[in-house]
Amino acid sequence: MKQIRTDLAMESFDGSGGESLPGVQVSHWDVADVRMTEVLITDPDAAQGLGKACGAYLTMECGLLRERAPEARLAVAALLGEELGRMIQPDDSAPVLVVGLGNRFITPDSLGPRAVDRTLVTRHMAECGFASANLRSVCAIAPGVLGITGIETTEMVESLVEKLRPRAILCVDSLAARDSARIGSTIQLSDAGIQPGAGVGNHRRPLTKDSLGVDVVAVGMPTVIYAATLARDAFAVLAARDGSTPSEDALDGMERELFGQEIGEMIVTPREIDAIVEDASAVIASGINRALHPSLSDAEISAMMN
Amino acid sequence: MKQIRTDLAMESFDGSGGESLPGVQVSHWDVADVRMTEVLITDPDAAQGLGKACGAYLTMECGLLRERAPEARLAVAALLGEELGRMIQPDDSAPVLVVGLGNRFITPDSLGPRAVDRTLVTRHMAECGFASANLRSVCAIAPGVLGITGIETTEMVESLVEKLRPRAILCVDSLAARDSARIGSTIQLSDAGIQPGAGVGNHRRPLTKDSLGVDVVAVGMPTVIYAATLARDAFAVLAARDGSTPSEDALDGMERELFGQEIGEMIVTPREIDAIVEDASAVIASGINRALHPSLSDAEISAMMN
Amino acid sequence: MKQIRTDLAMESFDGSGGESLPGVQVSHWDVADVRMTEVLITDPDAAQGLGKACGAYLTMECGLLRERAPEARLAVAALLGEELGRMIQPDDSAPVLVVGLGNRFITPDSLGPRAVDRTLVTRHMAECGFASANLRSVCAIAPGVLGITGIETTEMVESLVEKLRPRAILCVDSLAARDSARIGSTIQLSDAGIQPGAGVGNHRRPLTKDSLGVDVVAVGMPTVIYAATLARDAFAVLAARDGSTPSEDALDGMERELFGQEIGEMIVTPREIDAIVEDASAVIASGINRALHPSLSDAEISAMMN
Amino acid sequence: MKQIRTDLAMESFDGSGGESLPGVQVSHWDVADVRMTEVLITDPDAAQGLGKACGAYLTMECGLLRERAPEARLAVAALLGEELGRMIQPDDSAPVLVVGLGNRFITPDSLGPRAVDRTLVTRHMAECGFASANLRSVCAIAPGVLGITGIETTEMVESLVEKLRPRAILCVDSLAARDSARIGSTIQLSDAGIQPGAGVGNHRRPLTKDSLGVDVVAVGMPTVIYAATLARDAFAVLAARDGSTPSEDALDGMERELFGQEIGEMIVTPREIDAIVEDASAVIASGINRALHPSLSDAEISAMMN
């Protein structure tokens, strides 16, 4: 269904209904209170069917995160740090470039910029000697969105890649989900980069290894459901009850009736989205800092952040 | 239907389906690009049926407001100033107390505090002589919400009423609507005050002439639709197509399915809600400043606002 | 000297030059990296001479706080919690009212409002039973400043005291210091309340046990030096070198020359004042939360703060 | 004197004491309430003596700006638009790149980023046809500071220059002044670009036509005085009274006495600096928008800014 939009590969897979799909491997495991799901898409046809690029998608779900439990934040940051470290393997030869995607001035789209604000950057300290200080070279930008800069994020990242020659790019982005329970509770990591049309802010062009020539790791958290997706799901629940399937025409008609005169896009968020994004940016930045500076303690990272 | 929640009396009336309802008078007229609707509820039974208190509710709708057209903002501010001036009739004997309801840290609930930030307060200049400066006495507070202060807004306003003896209270609040086109484009004024459960922030106790002993005028703008309301409306569109009416049980079941594990309440907003609330707070504050200081020009008000 | 303004009693005492002053007792001790100084003013003449009210003033100095060392923050929060707990002795009979003084929109004056944002309020949970949950009754407001509300802070607090009958008031305020090393590194506690003219925001009327009828404890941190104070001190350093003392006329002349055409007051702050105030508000709120909810752990307090 | 730092060429000239200096031409004129001063530095020795690069520096002083008078803001924005338009001469062949220098999270250093937020960018609308819409191609970034990104601003701008091939760069920056009356009241334009060590944020490397290969216009407003500069000026006033000149040793000693244990740099600002920067960013952005889109009205620019 064209309007059931989600950036989570696990939701795309669940939505496709299929228990097993050729070219897609799904595995689940638990680490304490965190539910891990890996979706591995190896077949281009399956990728097309799911609306996701080929690659590995790892999801960490932890309901306690949404309840702001301090120990859940620590546990998820530690897990995220481990997994990111495995994917990026930072060394001191070339910097890792962290890119905070999204719009700082739109709360549910501000996860990327806010995570970048909390990322420990070190590239400019190179003259002090990384090796002695146990540091890796890290730099970070929040390039803003097209309507604010007039510059495609891809253009900006491309030009920095040429200048800085990073060993990898780590993109942080706000995601859209289908299931409201996943907002603020779920983190997705992927080696597939950022695809056009993904995220809350709808990027126009890809940020991938193909387009940029370096590894691109994406990490994100759902902060919204599209209102059209919610309405279609409500519609579908009723249809399921009497065994019918609403036609695309019926769904389009319903949307026109509900959102007909709308300028821009309606999104669904929890009321406390500002606190959720603030917390999530801290957890994700903590995971990034642990992954990129594996020999620093949390206290050392915190003390270097001024 | 219990979950179709709206703070707009005109939507309650439209939702009740009745062309004519005893004890309710509805009139429409246009002023340039602004559509005015007055709903006058005089009968307690009609009030109960509509879920609104008895009183006058005036709605100004202007789609251009949402498109941020400067001339639309001016026109609506001027109209609002006139209507508020008529309802409050400020003089220099006793202050008007402007109360910005809602939570400053939750974007769609921050309209009241932000409007108060832009209100010209003058009560503390009394020693300079209001009459000579053509000023009325105005004071303002943004009392915050229960979870932040531990104090009911009503308690705080009651205690200030005893201390300051204002001639009237003017409450500004974020509202919930049913129709997404009304978000950011519609202002409602009412002499019925604030009822429990109204607004985005769900006040527990009323702020009314009955409870406070002074006139209470409420002004607000819709900034959200409740997600449950949207889902029910989507559901209803499909049901209407085959002539059936979903039962309350079916609706409750659908909600459990969509929002089952949710903490807190899901809301629907336009993505650009931050800019909408910022604009709306400026328009509403401009209307308030015009109403409360009728002999000052816009430039004089602006110059006094530091 | 009239323009050497400081809100720290220990600086007033040091500035008075006197090793010993009748009616003033000064003691020093250290707790790990924190230097404690208590100034006890018992004589009204000494109070007048120092420009401070009679009462006890306890100062905690910790240079590491300014360097954002996590362990220093914890240590100071713990010490502050102990001392505040001793002064306030909260129970569950009547609430403690925390008052965040100052202007949220002026960074160095925003310490009070920001500390209140991080204070755990509980008064509205009374129906759940404080005793069983090991909670004390706490409520909190950030009343804003006169130019924004048109209402004296004193009026607002007086009216809330009548309504809520708190057992004590705890005021948090930004302070002015004389020595730049104390900005962001020093916390002062006092049982003398808030005096007119103190703080960065220059209160017009007192908040004291005399004026309000309940105990008033004040806690604050220097965030600024007045530019006039700095200029006078620079002037004095040169004068001291050749043994002369600049006359008041000379000092006034110098001020006119440096600030002659100035609107409003010039203040001196570290460039990173925003981060300093953010950190300080967290440390002070942590101390308050520990003092007012002695049976809750830090993690429990954090989990209840949503 | 090494520590008398100012970014205003007119203050450097005044400070040099010289009525006439070879290689420097100074002219004054008035446009309504705005005092215009042009300092033209053509000789490298004079440039070195003044601590400014060769080039033209145009200063607009308007005390009413600081008093937030609406008509003064309009007048200065119009004048700034004219002068910038003359210097940049935008056309539709290549974009103008607006660069907002400074740190968004340090109030007096946030002028550049905030001005960029209010700049109308159009480069991404090229497909719609600039000519028909009477638009010029404009893009904008706020690259952040080295400690936040790990990337030199110069590196970022260089890489964008290679990618976007702009016809000119327009840098907006917060400045340091010597005279407190100039904070918030004075705008400086220059064709000399940005020099290392200038601005509130102390850039390490230049942004000039020499380093970037395209015209670089700089526009800025003083938001601070360095505390060391203020202290030295206070010192100098006293010395001037008795005809002596303080030695560098004496000045260094005074500084150690006043700021000895200081981490980071102390700055002097008016208390209301947040409002001053907010206003200044609006005035400067309005001037930029007028200069870069000369055929659009203010209302058209405002309507396109969402």
Side-chain angles (χ1 to χ4, degrees), chain A residues 4-28:
Chain A
I4 298 299
R5 285 197 281 168
T6 172
D7 295 313
L8 296 177
M10 66 177 292
E11 288 191 340
S12 296
F13 179 77
D14 289 348
S16 72
E19 282 302 286
S20 85
L21 202 63
V24 182
Q25 283 169 275
V26 179
S27 32
H28 297 284

Side-chain angles (χ1 to χ4, degrees), chain A residues 40-277:
Chain A
L40 200 62
I41 308 178
T42 51
D43 179 74
D45 287 346
Q48 171 118 32
L50 294 177
K52 293 276 161 287
C54 286
Y57 298 84
L58 179 64
T59 312
M60 304 176 174
E61 291 176 271
C62 179
L64 289 168
L65 215 53
R66 182 76 174 277
E67 293 169 42
R68 313 187 76 174
E71 66 279 10
R73 293 189 227 182
L74 267 174
V76 172
L79 266 174
L80 179 59
E82 276 173 41
E83 297 293 340
L84 279 176
R86 201 168 297 155
M87 292 170 87
I88 294 177
Q89 301 187 326
D91 62 23
D92 51 8
S93 64
V96 172
L97 173 60
V98 182
V99 180
L101 299 169
N103 188 336
R104 187 183 286 286
F105 304 110
I106 292 182
T107 302
D109 198 25
S110 66
L111 179 65
R114 293 202 214 189
V116 155
D117 295 342
R118 295 167 180 263
T119 297
L120 175 59
V121 299
T122 53
R123 177 173 168 272
H124 59 305
M125 304 172 187
E127 61 258 40
C128 313
F130 286 132
S132 59
N134 272 325
L135 290 174
R136 301 291 183 272
S137 179
V138 175
C139 53
I141 53 158
V145 296
L146 193 56
I148 285 179
T149 62
I151 306 169
E152 274 273 4
T153 296
T154 309
E155 290 178 300
M156 217 178 288
V157 175
E158 277 169 1
S159 71
L160 282 171
V161 165
E162 279 166 47
K163 192 90 187 172
L164 309 177
R165 304 274 169 209
R167 63 177 280 112
I169 290 173
L170 172 49
C171 293
V172 187
D173 201 6
S174 308
L175 306 179
R178 182 173 184 177
D179 181 346
S180 61
R182 293 214 171 86
I183 295 180
S185 70
T186 299
I187 291 174
Q188 176 177 273
L189 263 84
S190 172
D191 59 11
I194 301 284
Q195 304 298 324
V200 177
N202 289 324
H203 314 292
R204 287 198 198 168
R205 289 172 45 194
L207 289 168
T208 59
K209 181 161 193 174
D210 273 4
S211 67
L212 294 169
V214 291
D215 286 343
V216 181
V217 172
V219 57
M221 175 180 273
T223 58
V224 306
I225 307 170
Y226 284 109
T229 297
L230 177 70
R232 279 171 184 251
D233 272 350
F235 216 83
V237 168
L238 178 54
R241 283 178 62 242
D242 59 16
S244 71
T245 307
S247 68
E248 273 304 312
D249 272 7
L251 289 165
D252 288 349
M254 179 271 291
E255 262 190 69
R256 267 195 309 279
E257 205 168 322
L258 288 183
F259 304 113
Q261 305 125 62
E262 253 336 281
I263 296 151
E265 209 146 16
M266 303 291 288
I267 54 176
V268 184
T269 64
R271 189 156 53 186
E272 70 274 24
I273 185 65
D274 204 290
I276 288 173
V277 172

Side-chain angles (χ1 to χ4, degrees), chain C residues 182-207:
Chain C
R182 293 214 172 87
I183 294 180
S185 70
T186 300
I187 292 174
Q188 176 177 273
L189 263 84
S190 171
D191 59 11
I194 301 284
Q195 302 300 323
V200 178
N202 288 326
H203 314 292
R204 286 200 199 165
R205 287 171 47 191
L207 289 167

Side-chain angles (χ1 to χ4, degrees), chain B residues 33-275:
Chain B
D33 289 323
V34 186
R35 177 80 170 154
M36 312 285 282
T37 302
E38 192 186 53
V39 177
L40 199 63
I41 309 178
T42 50
D43 180 74
D45 288 346
Q48 170 118 32
L50 294 177
K52 294 277 162 288
C54 286
Y57 299 83
L58 179 65
T59 312
M60 305 176 173
E61 291 176 90
C62 179
L64 289 168
L65 214 55
R66 182 75 174 276
E67 294 169 40
R68 312 187 76 174
E71 65 280 10
R73 293 190 225 181
L74 267 175
V76 172
L79 267 174
L80 178 60
E82 275 173 42
E83 297 293 340
L84 279 176
R86 202 167 295 154
M87 290 170 87
I88 292 177
Q89 302 187 325
D91 62 24
D92 52 8
S93 64
V96 171
L97 172 60
V98 181
V99 179
L101 299 170
N103 187 336
R104 184 183 290 284
F105 304 110
I106 293 181
T107 303
D109 197 25
S110 66
L111 179 65
R114 293 202 214 189
V116 155
D117 294 344
R118 296 166 178 264
T119 297
L120 175 60
V121 298
T122 52
R123 178 173 168 271
H124 58 306
M125 303 172 185
E127 59 258 41
C128 313
F130 287 131
S132 58
N134 271 326
L135 291 174
R136 300 293 182 269
S137 179
V138 175
C139 52
I141 53 159
V145 296
L146 194 56
I148 285 179
T149 62
I151 307 170
E152 275 272 3
T153 297
T154 310
E155 290 178 299
M156 217 178 288
V157 175
E158 277 169 2
S159 71
L160 282 172
V161 165
E162 278 166 46
K163 192 88 185 172
L164 310 176
R165 305 273 168 210
R167 63 176 281 112
I169 290 173
L170 173 48
C171 293
V172 187
D173 201 7
S174 306
L175 306 180
R178 182 173 183 178
D179 181 346
S180 62
R182 293 214 171 86
I183 294 179
S185 70
T186 299
I187 291 174
Q188 176 178 273
L189 263 84
S190 171
D191 59 9
I194 300 284
Q195 302 300 324
V200 178
N202 288 327
H203 313 292
R204 287 200 198 165
R205 287 171 45 192
L207 289 166
T208 59
K209 181 160 192 175
D210 272 4
S211 68
L212 294 169
V214 291
D215 285 344
V216 180
V217 171
V219 57
M221 174 179 274
T223 58
V224 306
I225 307 171
Y226 285 108
T229 297
L230 177 71
R232 280 173 181 248
D233 272 350
F235 216 84
V237 168
L238 178 54
R241 284 177 60 240
D242 57 16
S244 71
T245 307
S247 68
E248 273 305 309
D249 272 7
L251 290 165
D252 287 348
M254 178 270 293
E255 263 190 69
R256 267 195 310 278
E257 205 167 321
L258 289 183
F259 304 114
Q261 305 126 58
E262 253 336 281
I263 297 150
E265 208 148 16
M266 303 291 288
I267 53 175
V268 185
T269 64
R271 188 155 53 187
E272 70 277 22
I273 186 64
D274 205 289

